[in-house]
Amino acid sequence: MSSNELIELFIIEFEKLENLANQINSENELDVNQIVEIYYQITNVSSLIEVMRQQIDKSDLSSFEKISNAENFISEKFNSTIHPKIMSNISNSVLEITKNLQSLNSEQKSKETIENEAKLYEKLRELMSTKEFVKQYDAGLSDD
């Protein structure tokens, strides 16, 4: 892959990241797919930054400026604002679903109640595994 192709790929992937970040930042209720997608994109862009640092000519100030802008975006916007929002959103959703499930423990359950309970458990399971995924990213931040 040539330097120009790498830079073009980087620009495309970084724009995807910015769009996802803006989308997530403007929403109150986040779904698991959005959360997984943005962390995937962060990893993508971070990996491209590493590759670009090694392959781009040091005299190419324009490319290094793009790298620096992306690193600042990840550090300042994502790590400081969006990541904590996602962590909080997941924790609140887990708490809410747990409360709903605890309030459903009646003796006589209708078929509909059982189905709703099963859906809540599935949503809770999905959120808990996403929370673990997000915590891994959080742990990576602590290591830096």
Side-chain angles (χ1 to χ4, degrees), residues 42-100:
I42 281 281
T43 304
N44 233 359
V45 170
S46 297
S47 297
L48 281 169
I49 287 171
E50 292 303 313
V51 171
M52 284 180 66
R53 282 201 178 284
Q54 294 167 10
Q55 293 187 9
I56 301 299
D57 185 346
K58 302 279 186 249
S59 64
D60 185 353
L61 296 178
S62 169
S63 294
F64 277 95
E65 189 177 323
K66 287 176 177 57
I67 291 171
S68 181
N69 288 342
E71 288 174 324
N72 287 338
F73 178 86
I74 291 170
S75 169
E76 294 168 16
K77 184 159 186 177
F78 186 81
N79 293 347
S80 301
T81 306
I82 296 170
H83 174 65
K85 176 184 177 176
I86 290 171
M87 288 287 285
S88 171
N89 190 289
I90 290 173
S91 295
N92 290 340
S93 294
V94 166
L95 199 61
E96 189 177 315
I97 291 172
T98 304
K99 282 181 186 174
N100 287 343

Side-chain angles (χ1 to χ4, degrees), residues 118-132:
K119 286 177 188 171
L120 282 174
Y121 274 113
E122 179 57 27
K123 177 90 173 144
L124 182 61
R125 185 199 61 73
E126 191 177 61
L127 279 168
M128 294 299 286
S129 79
T130 304
K131 186 175 183 178
E132 284 306 307

